[in-house]
Amino acid sequence: MDALGRVVKPKTKRAKRFLERREPKLTENTKNAMLIKGGNANLTVTEVLKDIYAVKKPFAVLYKKKNITRPFEDQTSLEFFSKKSDCSLFMFGSHNKKRPNNLIIGRMFDYHVLDMIELGIENFVSLKDVKNNKCPEGTKPMLIFAGDMFELNEEYRRLKNLLIDFFRGPTVPSIRLAGLEHVLHFTALDGKIYMRSYKVLLKKSGCKIPRIELEDIGPSLDLVMRRTHLASDDLYKLSLKQPKALKPKKKKNISHDVFGTTYGRIHMQKQDLSKLQTRKLKGLKKRPAEKSAQDGGTSPKKPKSA
Protein backbone atom coordinates (compact mmCIF):
# COMPACT_ATOMS: atom_id res chain seq x y z
CA MET A 1 0.00 0.00 0.00
CA ASP A 2 1.42 3.37 -1.01
CA ALA A 3 1.23 6.77 0.70
CA LEU A 4 -2.22 7.47 -0.81
CA GLY A 5 -3.68 4.23 0.55
CA ARG A 6 -3.81 2.47 -2.84
CA VAL A 7 -2.99 -1.25 -3.04
CA VAL A 8 0.10 -1.72 -5.20
CA LYS A 9 0.38 -5.11 -6.91
CA PRO A 10 3.87 -6.64 -7.25
CA LYS A 11 5.40 -6.44 -10.72
CA THR A 12 7.93 -9.27 -10.34
CA LYS A 13 7.86 -12.75 -8.83
CA ARG A 14 10.53 -11.75 -6.33
CA ALA A 15 8.37 -8.88 -5.06
CA LYS A 16 5.39 -11.23 -4.90
CA ARG A 17 7.32 -13.72 -2.74
CA PHE A 18 8.49 -10.86 -0.52
CA LEU A 19 4.92 -9.66 0.07
CA GLU A 20 3.72 -13.22 0.72
CA ARG A 21 6.31 -13.59 3.49
CA ARG A 22 5.09 -10.34 5.06
CA GLU A 23 1.33 -10.97 4.82
CA PRO A 24 -0.64 -12.08 7.91
CA LYS A 25 -0.63 -15.81 8.69
CA LEU A 26 -2.66 -18.05 10.97
CA THR A 27 0.54 -19.32 12.58
CA GLU A 28 2.99 -16.43 12.67
CA ASN A 29 6.69 -16.78 11.99
CA THR A 30 9.33 -16.81 14.70
CA LYS A 31 9.69 -13.25 15.99
CA ASN A 32 12.87 -11.48 14.93
CA ALA A 33 14.64 -8.91 17.08
CA MET A 34 16.56 -5.84 15.98
CA LEU A 35 19.42 -4.53 18.10
CA ILE A 36 20.06 -0.82 17.61
CA LYS A 37 22.94 1.26 18.91
CA GLY A 38 22.21 4.83 19.99
CA GLY A 39 24.16 7.87 18.88
CA ASN A 40 26.17 8.02 22.12
CA ALA A 41 26.55 4.32 22.98
CA ASN A 42 29.76 3.43 24.82
CA LEU A 43 31.85 0.23 24.70
CA THR A 44 29.85 -1.54 27.43
CA VAL A 45 26.51 -1.05 25.67
CA THR A 46 28.03 -2.10 22.34
CA GLU A 47 29.38 -5.33 23.85
CA VAL A 48 26.03 -6.09 25.48
CA LEU A 49 24.23 -5.73 22.14
CA LYS A 50 26.78 -8.00 20.45
CA ASP A 51 26.38 -10.70 23.12
CA ILE A 52 22.57 -10.56 23.02
CA TYR A 53 22.82 -10.84 19.24
CA ALA A 54 25.00 -13.96 19.65
CA VAL A 55 22.35 -15.49 21.94
CA LYS A 56 19.47 -14.59 19.60
CA LYS A 57 21.03 -15.63 16.28
CA PRO A 58 19.71 -16.39 13.67
CA PHE A 59 16.48 -14.60 14.69
CA ALA A 60 18.07 -11.18 15.13
CA VAL A 61 19.39 -8.21 13.15
CA LEU A 62 22.29 -6.12 14.52
CA TYR A 63 22.59 -2.53 13.30
CA LYS A 64 26.24 -1.52 13.53
CA LYS A 65 25.80 2.16 12.71
CA LYS A 66 24.77 4.61 15.41
CA ASN A 67 21.21 5.95 15.26
CA ILE A 68 20.41 9.21 17.02
CA THR A 69 16.93 8.64 18.45
CA ARG A 70 15.13 8.65 21.80
CA PRO A 71 12.48 5.90 21.92
CA PHE A 72 10.57 7.34 24.90
CA GLU A 73 10.18 10.68 23.11
CA ASP A 74 9.98 9.75 19.42
CA GLN A 75 9.15 6.24 18.22
CA THR A 76 8.99 6.85 14.47
CA SER A 77 12.57 5.65 13.87
CA LEU A 78 11.91 2.35 15.66
CA GLU A 79 8.70 1.82 13.72
CA PHE A 80 10.53 2.53 10.44
CA PHE A 81 13.29 0.03 11.22
CA SER A 82 10.69 -2.52 12.35
CA LYS A 83 8.85 -2.34 9.05
CA LYS A 84 12.09 -2.35 7.06
CA SER A 85 13.60 -5.43 8.72
CA ASP A 86 10.28 -7.17 9.62
CA CYS A 87 11.17 -7.32 13.32
CA SER A 88 8.58 -7.23 16.09
CA LEU A 89 11.12 -7.14 18.96
CA PHE A 90 13.81 -4.54 19.60
CA MET A 91 16.63 -3.66 21.98
CA PHE A 92 18.07 -0.15 21.98
CA GLY A 93 21.33 0.73 23.74
CA SER A 94 22.51 4.20 24.72
CA HIS A 95 24.67 6.00 27.27
CA ASN A 96 24.59 9.50 28.79
CA LYS A 97 25.33 11.22 32.07
CA LYS A 98 21.74 11.07 33.33
CA ARG A 99 21.15 7.41 32.35
CA PRO A 100 24.49 5.60 31.96
CA ASN A 101 24.69 2.17 30.30
CA ASN A 102 21.06 2.21 29.23
CA LEU A 103 19.09 -0.60 27.57
CA ILE A 104 15.53 -0.36 26.26
CA ILE A 105 13.78 -3.64 25.45
CA GLY A 106 10.38 -3.64 23.77
CA ARG A 107 8.07 -5.13 21.17
CA MET A 108 5.81 -4.03 18.35
CA PHE A 109 2.19 -4.65 17.42
CA ASP A 110 1.20 -3.90 13.84
CA TYR A 111 4.53 -2.03 13.42
CA HIS A 112 3.76 0.29 16.35
CA VAL A 113 5.38 0.20 19.77
CA LEU A 114 3.27 -1.92 22.12
CA ASP A 115 5.34 -1.67 25.29
CA MET A 116 8.97 -1.05 26.28
CA ILE A 117 10.97 -1.09 29.50
CA GLU A 118 14.18 0.78 30.24
CA LEU A 119 16.91 -1.08 32.14
CA GLY A 120 20.22 0.17 33.52
CA ILE A 121 23.34 -2.00 33.35
CA GLU A 122 25.17 -2.05 36.68
CA ASN A 123 27.47 -5.02 36.06
CA PHE A 124 28.37 -6.92 32.89
CA VAL A 125 30.46 -10.01 32.09
CA SER A 126 30.92 -10.61 28.38
CA LEU A 127 30.86 -13.88 26.45
CA LYS A 128 34.53 -13.59 25.60
CA ASP A 129 35.46 -13.09 29.28
CA VAL A 130 34.18 -16.58 30.17
CA LYS A 131 36.55 -19.21 28.75
CA ASN A 132 34.11 -22.12 28.48
CA ASN A 133 32.60 -24.03 25.58
CA LYS A 134 29.55 -22.21 24.23
CA CYS A 135 26.23 -23.57 22.99
CA PRO A 136 25.73 -23.94 19.22
CA GLU A 137 24.11 -21.08 17.33
CA GLY A 138 20.33 -21.19 17.28
CA THR A 139 19.97 -23.31 20.43
CA LYS A 140 16.53 -22.81 21.98
CA PRO A 141 17.06 -21.73 25.61
CA MET A 142 15.17 -22.82 28.70
CA LEU A 143 13.90 -19.78 30.62
CA ILE A 144 13.78 -19.76 34.43
CA PHE A 145 12.38 -16.90 36.50
CA ALA A 146 12.98 -16.65 40.24
CA GLY A 147 11.63 -14.02 42.62
CA ASP A 148 8.22 -13.01 43.97
CA MET A 149 8.36 -9.65 42.18
CA PHE A 150 7.69 -11.36 38.84
CA GLU A 151 4.26 -12.36 40.20
CA LEU A 152 3.36 -9.52 42.58
CA ASN A 153 4.39 -6.36 40.69
CA GLU A 154 2.62 -5.43 37.45
CA GLU A 155 5.73 -3.89 35.85
CA TYR A 156 7.86 -6.93 36.71
CA ARG A 157 5.10 -9.22 35.47
CA ARG A 158 5.06 -7.39 32.13
CA LEU A 159 8.87 -7.51 32.04
CA LYS A 160 8.76 -11.28 32.52
CA ASN A 161 6.29 -11.61 29.65
CA LEU A 162 8.50 -9.38 27.49
CA LEU A 163 11.65 -11.40 28.25
CA ILE A 164 9.85 -14.65 27.41
CA ASP A 165 8.73 -13.13 24.12
CA PHE A 166 12.25 -11.92 23.39
CA PHE A 167 14.26 -15.08 24.15
CA ARG A 168 11.82 -17.96 23.60
CA GLY A 169 12.91 -18.73 20.02
CA PRO A 170 10.98 -20.96 17.59
CA THR A 171 8.07 -23.19 18.57
CA VAL A 172 9.10 -26.86 18.27
CA PRO A 173 6.79 -29.90 18.06
CA SER A 174 9.05 -32.22 20.08
CA ILE A 175 12.04 -32.07 22.42
CA ARG A 176 15.05 -34.33 22.78
CA LEU A 177 17.07 -34.54 25.99
CA ALA A 178 20.40 -33.70 24.34
CA GLY A 179 18.89 -30.50 22.90
CA LEU A 180 18.22 -29.06 26.36
CA GLU A 181 21.64 -27.50 26.81
CA HIS A 182 21.10 -23.76 27.31
CA VAL A 183 19.53 -22.07 30.35
CA LEU A 184 18.73 -18.37 30.78
CA HIS A 185 18.07 -17.58 34.44
CA PHE A 186 16.43 -14.33 35.57
CA THR A 187 16.28 -13.43 39.28
CA ALA A 188 14.42 -10.45 40.74
CA LEU A 189 15.87 -9.53 44.14
CA ASP A 190 16.16 -6.25 46.08
CA GLY A 191 15.03 -4.09 43.16
CA LYS A 192 17.48 -5.64 40.67
CA ILE A 193 17.22 -8.20 37.87
CA TYR A 194 20.08 -10.65 37.52
CA MET A 195 20.46 -12.38 34.15
CA ARG A 196 22.70 -15.45 33.96
CA SER A 197 23.45 -17.84 31.10
CA TYR A 198 24.39 -21.48 31.70
CA LYS A 199 25.24 -24.55 29.68
CA VAL A 200 23.66 -27.84 30.79
CA LEU A 201 26.16 -30.68 31.28
CA LEU A 202 24.77 -34.24 31.41
CA LYS A 203 27.01 -36.37 33.64
CA LYS A 204 26.94 -40.10 34.39
CA SER A 205 24.87 -40.95 37.46
CA GLY A 206 24.80 -44.76 37.49
CA CYS A 207 21.15 -44.89 36.37
CA LYS A 208 19.05 -43.93 33.34
CA ILE A 209 18.52 -40.34 34.48
CA PRO A 210 21.76 -38.33 34.04
CA ARG A 211 23.19 -36.01 36.67
CA ILE A 212 22.84 -32.36 35.64
CA GLU A 213 25.43 -29.65 36.20
CA LEU A 214 25.28 -26.00 35.11
CA GLU A 215 28.34 -24.24 33.71
CA ASP A 216 28.47 -20.45 33.36
CA ILE A 217 29.06 -19.42 29.74
CA GLY A 218 28.03 -15.75 29.80
CA PRO A 219 26.81 -13.14 29.26
CA SER A 220 25.94 -12.05 32.81
CA LEU A 221 24.02 -8.85 33.48
CA ASP A 222 22.98 -7.03 36.65
CA LEU A 223 20.10 -4.76 35.69
CA VAL A 224 17.92 -2.19 37.42
CA MET A 225 14.53 -1.05 36.14
CA ARG A 226 14.15 2.61 35.13
CA ARG A 227 11.34 3.98 32.96
CA THR A 228 8.43 1.96 31.54
CA HIS A 229 6.00 2.47 28.67
CA LEU A 230 3.27 -0.20 28.99
CA ALA A 231 0.33 -0.74 26.68
CA SER A 232 -3.20 -0.20 27.96
CA ASP A 233 -5.21 -3.26 28.97
CA ASP A 234 -7.47 -3.02 25.90
CA LEU A 235 -4.56 -2.77 23.47
CA TYR A 236 -2.73 -5.57 25.27
CA LYS A 237 -5.77 -7.87 24.99
CA LEU A 238 -6.12 -6.95 21.31
CA SER A 239 -2.50 -7.96 20.66
CA LEU A 240 -3.15 -11.36 22.27
CA LYS A 241 -6.26 -12.05 20.20
CA GLN A 242 -6.11 -15.22 18.12
CA PRO A 243 -7.96 -15.90 14.86
CA LYS A 244 -11.01 -18.16 15.05
CA ALA A 245 -9.37 -20.79 12.84
CA LEU A 246 -6.72 -21.44 15.52
CA LYS A 247 -9.15 -21.80 18.41
CA PRO A 248 -9.87 -25.47 19.19
CA LYS A 249 -13.43 -26.49 18.37
CA LYS A 250 -15.43 -27.63 21.36
CA LYS A 251 -16.42 -31.28 21.11
CA LYS A 252 -19.90 -32.08 22.34
CA ASN A 253 -20.63 -34.76 24.95
CA ILE A 254 -16.95 -35.18 25.90
CA SER A 255 -15.63 -34.41 29.37
CA HIS A 256 -12.39 -34.94 31.31
CA ASP A 257 -11.79 -35.61 34.96
CA VAL A 258 -8.95 -34.34 37.15
CA PHE A 259 -6.75 -37.29 36.14
CA GLY A 260 -7.07 -36.59 32.42
CA THR A 261 -9.41 -39.50 31.65
CA THR A 262 -11.75 -38.82 28.74
CA TYR A 263 -15.45 -39.61 29.11
CA GLY A 264 -17.94 -39.66 26.25
CA ARG A 265 -21.74 -39.52 26.45
CA ILE A 266 -23.70 -41.61 23.93
CA HIS A 267 -27.37 -40.81 23.19
CA MET A 268 -29.51 -43.86 22.28
CA GLN A 269 -33.21 -44.53 21.83
CA LYS A 270 -35.12 -46.24 24.63
CA GLN A 271 -34.88 -50.01 24.26
CA ASP A 272 -37.76 -52.48 24.63
CA LEU A 273 -36.25 -55.07 26.94
CA SER A 274 -39.16 -57.47 26.45
CA LYS A 275 -38.00 -58.11 22.88
CA LEU A 276 -34.43 -58.66 23.93
CA GLN A 277 -33.06 -61.94 22.59
CA THR A 278 -31.73 -64.16 25.37
CA ARG A 279 -30.45 -67.69 25.57
CA LYS A 280 -33.21 -70.29 25.27
CA LEU A 281 -33.03 -72.42 28.39
CA LYS A 282 -35.58 -74.98 29.55
CA GLY A 283 -35.76 -73.38 32.96
CA LEU A 284 -36.86 -70.10 31.42
CA LYS A 285 -39.68 -71.55 29.28
CA LYS A 286 -43.18 -70.46 30.20
CA ARG A 287 -45.62 -73.10 31.44
CA PRO A 288 -49.02 -73.58 29.73
CA ALA A 289 -50.83 -71.99 32.66
CA GLU A 290 -48.67 -68.88 32.41
CA LYS A 291 -49.24 -68.65 28.68
CA SER A 292 -53.03 -68.91 29.08
CA ALA A 293 -53.04 -66.31 31.85
CA GLN A 294 -51.01 -63.98 29.64
CA ASP A 295 -53.44 -64.50 26.72
CA GLY A 296 -56.38 -63.53 28.95
CA GLY A 297 -58.14 -66.84 29.44
CA THR A 298 -57.88 -70.61 29.34
CA SER A 299 -57.78 -72.23 25.94
CA PRO A 300 -60.29 -75.09 25.30
CA LYS A 301 -58.87 -78.58 25.57
CA LYS A 302 -58.77 -80.60 22.40
CA PRO A 303 -60.75 -83.86 22.55
CA LYS A 304 -58.70 -86.97 22.57
CA SER A 305 -59.05 -89.06 19.45
CA ALA A 306 -60.08 -92.70 19.90
Side-chain angles (χ1 to χ4, degrees), residues 187-199:
T187 305
L189 183 66
D190 298 331
K192 294 183 180 181
I193 301 103
Y194 301 93
M195 174 185 168
R196 299 293 182 265
S197 179
Y198 301 103
K199 183 178 181 181

Side-chain angles (χ1 to χ4, degrees), residues 117 145 150-151 155-165:
I117 297 176
F145 291 86
F150 285 125
E151 303 298 332
E155 292 182 345
Y156 278 81
R157 192 185 298 119
R158 193 67 66 89
L159 174 63
K160 175 184 175 181
N161 185 272
L162 182 57
L163 291 172
I164 292 174
D165 218 8

Side-chain angles (χ1 to χ4, degrees), residues 10 12-22:
T12 60
K13 291 184 176 179
R14 183 180 178 183
K16 185 179 180 181
R17 290 194 302 267
F18 176 80
L19 292 178
E20 286 177 352
R21 287 196 298 267
R22 293 283 184 98

Side-chain angles (χ1 to χ4, degrees), residues 22-231:
R22 293 283 184 98
E23 67 183 8
K25 302 178 180 64
L26 286 177
T27 304
E28 63 180 16
N29 302 329
T30 304
K31 294 183 179 180
N32 294 326
M34 55 182 182
L35 297 103
I36 304 172
K37 186 165 52 173
N40 48 358
N42 59 357
L43 182 61
T44 301
V45 171
T46 304
E47 291 296 323
V48 169
L49 293 177
K50 286 182 180 179
D51 286 2
I52 297 297
Y53 173 68
V55 173
K56 278 287 296 178
K57 279 195 304 187
F59 305 106
V61 178
L62 177 63
Y63 287 94
K64 296 182 179 180
K65 291 184 179 180
K66 293 184 177 182
N67 298 275
I68 303 173
T69 183
R70 295 176 180 176
F72 276 88
E73 298 173 9
D74 185 14
Q75 302 164 2
T76 54
S77 298
L78 291 177
E79 294 170 357
F80 170 76
F81 286 124
S82 173
K83 202 163 189 177
K84 180 181 179 182
S85 56
D86 193 24
C87 293
S88 56
L89 302 167
F90 68 89
M91 181 176 282
F92 180 84
S94 61
H95 173 78
N96 53 47
K97 187 177 180 180
K98 188 176 181 180
R99 296 183 182 89
N101 300 329
N102 205 42
L103 278 182
I104 299 174
I105 181 172
R107 54 188 164 187
M108 301 283 186
F109 175 63
D110 195 20
Y111 299 112
H112 296 285
V113 174
L114 179 67
D115 47 16
M116 55 184 173
I117 297 176
E118 188 178 59
L119 304 169
I121 305 169
E122 292 194 345
N123 189 26
F124 170 62
V125 179
S126 178
L127 274 169
K128 61 184 181 182
D129 295 334
V130 182
K131 306 299 181 182
N132 290 329
N133 293 329
K134 313 300 180 186
C135 295
E137 179 184 322
T139 302
K140 183 178 173 67
M142 296 178 284
L143 304 177
I144 302 174
F145 291 86
D148 296 334
M149 294 298 291
F150 285 125
E151 303 298 332
L152 301 177
N153 189 288
E154 179 61 28
E155 292 182 345
Y156 278 81
R157 192 185 298 119
R158 193 67 66 89
L159 174 63
K160 175 184 175 181
N161 185 272
L162 182 57
L163 291 172
I164 292 174
D165 218 8
F166 197 90
F167 289 105
R168 65 181 299 178
T171 303
V172 292
S174 58
I175 300 173
R176 64 187 182 95
L177 183 61
L180 302 175
E181 54 180 333
H182 189 202
V183 174
L184 287 177
H185 193 282
F186 299 92
T187 305
L189 183 66
D190 298 331
K192 294 183 180 181
I193 301 103
Y194 301 93
M195 174 185 168
R196 299 293 182 265
S197 179
Y198 301 103
K199 183 178 181 181
V200 178
L201 303 178
L202 303 178
K203 302 287 186 178
K204 292 183 180 180
S205 61
C207 58
K208 290 185 178 180
I209 301 175
R211 182 169 56 89
I212 296 175
E213 292 184 2
L214 297 180
E215 184 180 59
D216 189 12
I217 59 173
S220 298
L221 290 165
D222 295 351
L223 305 168
V224 60
M225 188 180 294
R226 290 175 179 168
R227 293 180 293 177
T228 59
H229 172 82
L230 303 180

